Amino acid sequence: MRIINARDYEHMSRQAANIISAQVILKPSSVLGLATGSSPIGAYRQLIEWYGKGDIDFSAVRTVNLDEYVGLGPEDEQSYARFMRKNFFDSVNIDLKNTSIPDGLNGDAEGECKRYDKLIASLGGIDLQLLGLGPNGHIGFNEPGESFTKGTHKVRLSKATVEANRRFFTDGRAVPEYAYTMGICDIMQARRVVMVVSGRAKAEIVREAFTGPVTPRVPASILQLHRDFTLVADEEALSLI
Ligand code: F6R
């Protein structure tokens, strides 16, 4: 495990974007595993800027996103599919046909999860997986207590996660209680994993996840065992280690 100590959110975002950009330059047809949430937005913004300057080309890149809320379709304002278009895909030359996100409208949970894992396998696996860190240590929507051996599956979100995500549901709608998420097994099989974390509020969970024991109680702790894991975090997030 490697730790990149960034000054603040902007610096963290540039450092992460540098790693993603190097990945795409070295392998233009890379399979990128992508995340939503506040943490990666700055990295997406930076990649968009470099794309605008002609420094990076996404035309051959394929992407698979970590997760999607069950019940939300791609046109839903709060769906992760929409988030990705708004914050990244619509601003670079990625072919939308090369982007994949679990289908939140597929009511056949088992079928959808199998389809998604087959899709990842058919792409040859993930070259670089980008992650954020949940306040309770979740990665994707793998909540505390989740087995390390699962592929894509349907989860019931913990109260803590529903609370943390309420900030995005500004129109007063309820936060969905279920999601489809890649499993820890999918994440651990990615050839490279990069996590972005910022802010004092994440310092305690960063300490637990990366200096404590590897345990399903803290899903991100498994990343200590990944062969190519880089934590890109700002000073506040690293303040307790
Ligand atoms: C997002 C995801 C989540 C977030 C995590 C942190 O696709 O899978 O695990 O990465 O909840 O969210 P932020 O970055 O908003 O603190």
Side-chain angles (χ1 to χ4, degrees), residues 7 20 26-27 32 34-35 53 68 76 78-79 102 106-107 115 123 133 154 166 169 171 176 181 216 218 220 229 231:
R7 286 186 297 279
I20 298 167
L26 292 171
K27 183 180 175 189
L32 301 181
L34 299 178
K53 289 183 174 157
E68 180 61 281
D76 194 299
Q78 310 300 342
S79 71
N106 188 348
R115 179 193 73 82
L123 295 172
L133 176 64
K154 181 178 175 179
R166 199 175 295 288
F169 286 76
D171 55 3
T181 183
V218 185
F229 170 56
L231 170 65

Side-chain angles (χ1 to χ4, degrees), residues 1 3 133-137 195-212 218 220-221 224 231-241:
M1 152 171 186
I3 299 181
L133 176 64
N136 59 1
M195 174 182 274
V196 277
V197 192
S198 77
R200 181 67 183 76
K202 299 267 177 83
E204 183 61 41
I205 194 67
V206 164
R207 190 181 58 76
E208 264 189 74
F210 303 117
T211 65
V218 185
S221 64
Q224 293 180 37
L231 170 65
V232 188
D234 69 5
E235 277 170 14
E236 289 189 356
L238 294 173
S239 58
L240 296 181
I241 62 172

Side-chain angles (χ1 to χ4, degrees), residues 70 101-120 151-154 179-181:
V70 171
I101 298 184
D103 177 2
L105 291 182
N106 188 348
D108 170 12
E110 204 187 319
E112 177 56 18
C113 295
K114 274 198 187 135
R115 179 193 73 82
Y116 207 64
D117 277 341
K118 265 198 195 149
L119 174 96
I120 296 171
T152 302
H153 59 288
K154 181 178 175 179
Y180 292 136
T181 183

Side-chain angles (χ1 to χ4, degrees), residues 70-127:
V70 171
L72 301 195
E75 296 314 322
D76 194 299
E77 194 55 43
Q78 310 300 342
S79 71
Y80 284 173
R82 181 115 170 86
F83 174 102
M84 288 309 300
R85 291 204 307 278
K86 193 166 133 199
N87 290 291
F88 190 41
F89 297 156
D90 283 353
S91 305
V92 295
N93 66 336
I94 199 157
D95 185 341
L96 283 181
K97 288 201 288 300
N98 290 339
T99 67
S100 301
I101 298 184
D103 177 2
L105 291 182
N106 188 348
D108 170 12
E110 204 187 319
E112 177 56 18
C113 295
K114 274 198 187 135
R115 179 193 73 82
Y116 207 64
D117 277 341
K118 265 198 195 149
L119 174 96
I120 296 171
S122 75
L123 295 172
I126 298 167
D127 290 302

Side-chain angles (χ1 to χ4, degrees), residues 34-40 66-67 80 131-135 138-141 165 167-168 202:
L34 299 178
T36 61
S38 314
S39 310
L66 280 168
D67 39 22
Y80 284 173
L131 295 176
L133 176 64
H138 72 219
I139 46 177
F141 274 139
N165 290 357
R167 68 192 195 277
F168 297 113
K202 299 267 177 83

